[in-house]
Amino acid sequence: MSTTPAVPAGPGRPVVPAEPLMSWRPRLTVRLRLTLSYALLLVLAGGVIGVIIYAVMRFVPNYPLTAANPRDQTPVATRGEILDTVVKLTLYALALLAAIGMGAGWIIAGRMLRPLQEITSAARLAANGSLDHRIRLGGPRDEFTDLSDTFDEMLERLERAFTQYRRFAANASHELRTPHAVMKTMLEVAIADPDHQDVRELARRLHETNQRGIDIVEALLALAALGNRKVELEPVNLASIARQAVAELQPEAEAAGVELSTSIEGSIVEGNETLLHQLIINLGQNAIRHNLPVGGTAKLTVQAGRLTVVNTGEVIDPAKVATLAEPFARGARLAKHSGGGHGLGLALVAAITTAHGGTLSLAPRPVGGLTASVHLRPATPTPHTTF
């Protein structure tokens, strides 16, 4: 392997170290291999035909042949002369077939592989960070169009995932920075004027702000844990879990002036009791905190593996509903008063639902508010299971 000479140093020019040159290697492309294959097949087919003709001509009598009419003096070829001619013409034919195979094969292979070149170009664009490009390959349905459609679907999912990741990173950075900035400001004010500070009030506000930061970190860790481990599921009584969660939510609902009602029927599902309890708590808190300022309602229903929470509130744009389950997505009311939540409640609900193999659907109500439904897999309790 040779190396390029080092560029000497000069005024304003640093020394560039020598770099090894890559040894040149011939590239045997797929198009060339297909072309050689086509030519080889033609040559082999021609060779087989030539061998068959040669074998058949060996049955020609070996004695001198004469014309059927004694007056006809036209010379007649002997078997040896015929066989020599067959071999010579076969060699010429094989050479012609090889040339035709190379030329036609190169053209045919190029046309067949043209869709692959478009897919390769799209892959290069995606590798450079351009995820908005789509191939949308036309033509008859074949392996290339299947590959193109699959690649387009992958690009769409990647683009959506990267968009969510960028939004999540920006929101997480803001949410994690805010509590620290608030605590820093309060401490700086207290240090600047320590004699006029209510220590008890300052400690209470610092505690609340610090707790908010802890809640955000714990919620992020819970999201990461759900995405990286398998949840052990067993038959659990969703109705019992819902009743316990509603009892915990009732004081917050009364303090917010929200009427919390239930309609709970027995329902045995495959689940994790701790995670399902957290799921119901998050849905209930979302229904209470995103409700009307005064006099709103929220209703929790459990029936046959389906959990539904319906609440009143502000009219929600249907286009925004699809983003509510993303991390740090919050309603308009909490966006104005961010102390009520950190926007990870529905994201945890979505993650818990996915871990249980269920489905989460969010739908805005025409009169205002939201309907959240979670479908879980029903389960039959084992003989040793008690509820």
Side-chain angles (χ1 to χ4, degrees):
M1 181 184 300
S2 59
T3 59
T4 57
V7 178
R13 183 175 58 184
V15 177
V16 179
E19 297 180 355
L21 289 175
M22 295 298 295
S23 57
W24 182 84
R25 295 181 181 178
R27 184 185 179 191
L28 192 61
T29 62
V30 175
R31 185 178 186 181
L32 181 57
R33 291 201 299 268
L34 286 175
T35 301
L36 294 175
S37 300
Y38 296 151
L40 180 60
L41 285 176
L42 282 177
V43 171
L44 288 177
V48 170
I49 295 175
V51 169
I52 293 174
I53 296 175
Y54 184 87
V56 171
M57 291 304 299
R58 290 182 63 85
F59 290 99
V60 175
N62 195 25
Y63 50 80
L65 299 178
T66 58
N69 186 359
R71 296 180 180 180
D72 190 357
Q73 300 299 322
T74 304
V76 179
T78 63
R79 187 182 71 175
E81 293 174 340
I82 295 175
L83 293 178
D84 291 340
T85 304
V86 169
V87 171
K88 185 183 299 184
L89 293 179
T90 299
L91 293 177
Y92 291 154
L94 292 179
L96 180 61
L97 289 174
I100 294 175
M102 290 291 292
W106 182 262
I107 297 174
I108 295 174
R111 297 190 60 178
M112 292 182 62
L113 295 176
R114 189 175 301 163
L116 188 60
Q117 295 175 355
E118 297 182 20
I119 298 174
T120 302
S121 299
R124 288 197 181 101
L125 291 174
N128 292 329
S130 176
L131 299 177
D132 57 348
H133 177 73
R134 299 294 181 270
I135 303 173
R136 295 186 178 90
L137 190 64
R141 300 296 305 176
D142 55 16
E143 291 83 353
F144 286 122
T145 54
D146 292 342
L147 178 61
S148 170
D149 293 343
T150 303
F151 193 82
D152 284 344
E153 293 176 4
M154 183 190 69
L155 287 178
E156 184 175 355
R157 294 180 62 183
L158 283 175
E159 184 180 18
R160 185 166 58 249
F162 272 101
T163 302
Q164 294 176 355
Y165 167 75
R166 294 188 186 101
R167 186 160 55 241
F168 171 81
N171 292 333
S173 175
H174 172 74
E175 294 290 339
L176 292 173
R177 188 185 298 114
T178 300
H180 294 84
V182 172
M183 288 188 291
K184 179 182 178 183
T185 301
M186 288 190 292
L187 289 173
E188 288 176 347
V189 172
I191 293 173
D193 189 11
D195 297 332
H196 296 82
Q197 295 297 323
D198 186 343
V199 177
R200 185 181 297 275
E201 177 64 18
L202 177 62
R204 185 189 65 80
R205 293 175 62 189
L206 286 173
H207 174 74
E208 291 179 353
T209 307
N210 182 64
Q211 186 61 45
R212 173 177 170 77
I214 293 174
D215 292 342
I216 294 174
V217 173
E218 289 181 348
L220 289 174
L221 291 176
L223 280 174
L226 284 172
N228 294 320
R229 67 180 176 90
K230 183 179 180 181
V231 177
E232 296 295 333
L233 305 180
E234 59 182 3
V236 295
N237 192 336
L238 184 61
S240 299
I241 300 173
R243 292 189 185 97
Q244 181 182 358
V246 169
E248 298 179 17
L249 290 168
Q250 198 67 48
E252 183 176 349
E254 293 176 357
V258 176
E259 180 184 351
L260 180 60
S261 60
T262 62
S263 175
I264 300 176
E265 299 180 4
S267 179
I268 309 302
V269 299
E270 287 285 343
N272 180 284
E273 185 172 351
T274 302
L275 292 178
L276 289 179
H277 180 270
Q278 185 64 50
L279 179 145
I280 298 174
I281 290 291
N282 286 10
L283 284 177
Q285 290 177 342
N286 183 77
I288 294 170
R289 297 173 181 177
H290 291 268
N291 218 298
L292 294 173
V294 179
T297 62
K299 183 175 182 180
L300 185 146
T301 304
V302 175
Q303 184 180 15
R306 180 177 179 179
L307 170 70
T308 304
V309 178
V310 181
N311 64 276
T312 56
E314 299 178 353
V315 177
I316 304 175
D317 184 2
K320 188 178 180 181
V321 173
T323 65
L324 290 180
E326 295 181 9
F328 302 108
R330 293 180 291 190
R333 187 178 172 210
L334 285 183
K336 298 176 183 177
H337 308 285
S338 59
H342 44 63
L344 291 171
L346 288 180
L348 274 173
V349 169
I352 294 173
T353 304
T354 302
H356 282 74
T359 57
L360 170 66
S361 61
L362 302 174
R365 303 178 67 216
V367 295
L370 185 72
T371 298
S373 298
V374 177
H375 295 262
L376 300 171
R377 293 197 302 261
T380 302
T382 63
H384 302 288
T385 305
T386 59
F387 300 103

